[in-house]
Amino acid sequence: MSRLPVTVHLNIDGIKLKEFMEFTEFNFHPKIAAGVEAAGYVTPTPIQARAIPTVLAGRDVMGLAQTGTGKTAAFALPILQRLMGGRRGHVRTLIVVPTRELAEQIHAAISSLGQRTGLRSITVYGGVNINPQIARLKQGAEIVVACPGRLLDHISRKTIDLSRLEVLVLDEADQMFDMGFLPDIRRLLKHLPQQRQTLLFSATMPKEIRNLAKDVLRDPETVQVDLVAPAVTVSHALYPVEEACKTDLLLALLQHTDTGSVLVFTRTKHRAKRLGEKLVKIGYRAASLQGNLSQNRRQAALDGFRKGSYQILVATDIAARGIDVSQVSHVINYDMPNTTDAYIHRIGRTGRAARSGDAFTLVTNADRAMARGIERALGRTIERRFMEGFTPPTKTSVPDVTATEQATRHNRDGQSAGKRVQGVSPAGKSAPGRSKNSRRRRFSGRSAKPAAASVGR
Ligand code: AMP
């Protein structure tokens, strides 16, 4: 690193926080520091600045942070540091996650950050042949990233030995609860040593997660970053529209907005599939990600989106859980999410690690109450925008537009008050102007490369 370490003290939530420190200050093992440097990380994100010293000290952590805040490295780096000491060849860390995609993503981040350490990480999840997993477990891995169902399967077959486990991470605990995994988690806990370090991460804190935390964490340090407010770098807009005009409005938005990679959310698998197909027919480089796809096709859609060969990914909430695509410039809610938490999770896919992003939500009559709920969660009103040519639902049915908020009118040339918008035409010909690479990046003052996805099973 050419820059000298600079430490600026910030006061956030009443806690004096060393925000603009550098990774060098953690004194990681040189082999871990090499991985951090290769990933392009210079400045820790707030969750990293707070959680890393606590995890290094061996404390349990209750991490309230949404995806996109850098929480993976916040737990992965101190765990790697711990594993550099002690014996190898058996499972010492277990990371439990709700989805296969998140498992692969965390595994890739660990493989990248720990590329020089010689420590081995493997993934364990259902929907794929169990035998290769058994073989990899036999070969000895220090880190297992697992989904609960298949993990319990391995436990009952006695193909995994967790008796010498040192660290347990429960990631995206609220999602695991939503997906009905809490009974599995409790069953799993009975098979783990009592003496261990436990880290629990959740974007939101429903009662059930609070109870789980009480049971699994010992004298935890709570590390909270953006509990209910989404990443500050995301700007939000609501587009009132009739249900029947949604697709046309989406197409107009894509046409008239300067976008990088776009993640579009629909309510159902069927709608994701149909919308994805429609976009492809029109000429967009698009794919859909939904639960009916085989694991291979899901991975191909995700990989294609990550690499940029697909510019648009249409997904359902479940399919998109935990997706880390650092370069998502726009999240478009084609369908309003069912809960405010789902909204926060969806838009956590853009504005990641302090890059900026936009979240557009198409709002019909029926979505009025949910729009208000989201505004309450954000603690402010969201700008309503209107596209010329798209009649919003009748006045009484449009979510309330308060006096303080400015409704911005787009015209068909894409001009809106103070906001330049440029189109991305089908077949992915990006309009000139703001490109993916020219997007603002705040934490490090230099560009932060996303971790290379080296999957070293
Ligand atoms: P996560 O919340 O762990 O999914 O991380 C979101 C994204 O931020 C990932 O692409 C990480 O590679 C990236 N990231 C994590 N920590 C940093 C950092 N300190 N500086 C720059 N990018 C980071």
Side-chain angles (χ1 to χ4, degrees), residues 23 41 43-45 48 67-72 105 324 326 352-353 448 450-451:
F23 274 99
Y41 301 170
T43 311
T45 64
Q48 291 164 357
T67 186
T69 53
K71 70 179 158 67
T72 312
Q105 194 173 292
D324 164 24
S326 324
R352 295 177 77 85

Side-chain angles (χ1 to χ4, degrees), residues 291-430:
N292 285 348
L293 295 179
S294 68
Q295 179 58 19
N296 281 349
R297 290 188 58 197
R298 279 159 72 125
Q299 202 59 48
L302 264 178
D303 289 346
F305 189 54
R306 244 180 231 131
K307 286 192 215 123
S309 34
Y310 297 123
Q311 185 205 355
I312 304 170
L313 190 66
V314 188
T316 57
D317 287 295
I318 298 228
R321 261 165 198 171
I323 288 181
D324 164 24
V325 180
S326 324
Q327 302 286 3
V328 172
S329 73
H330 287 72
V331 165
I332 303 182
N333 294 316
Y334 179 88
D335 291 323
M336 179 67 101
N338 289 331
T339 62
T340 52
D341 286 355
Y343 181 84
I344 287 160
H345 277 285
R346 284 183 181 186
I347 64 145
R349 306 316 184 261
T350 187
R352 295 177 77 85
R355 296 180 182 108
S356 58
D358 292 302
F360 297 160
T361 303
L362 276 46
V363 189
T364 66
N365 270 352
D367 303 326
R368 183 188 161 111
M370 186 48 65
R372 283 226 197 84
I374 291 168
E375 290 182 315
R376 265 197 303 277
L378 296 179
R380 61 186 152 95
T381 50
I382 305 177
E383 181 190 346
R384 268 73 177 169
R385 293 189 193 156
F386 301 92
M387 268 267 188
E388 202 170 276
F390 290 93
T391 332
T394 51
K395 203 160 195 259
T396 49
S397 59
V398 179
D400 294 342
V401 180
T402 67
T404 52
E405 108 196 44
Q406 294 154 2
T408 309
R409 287 188 181 273
H410 283 284
N411 64 32
R412 284 288 189 164
D413 297 328
Q415 300 302 318
S416 69
K419 195 161 177 132
R420 189 173 61 88
V421 283
Q422 281 184 317
V424 175
S425 44
K429 289 191 197 91
S430 287

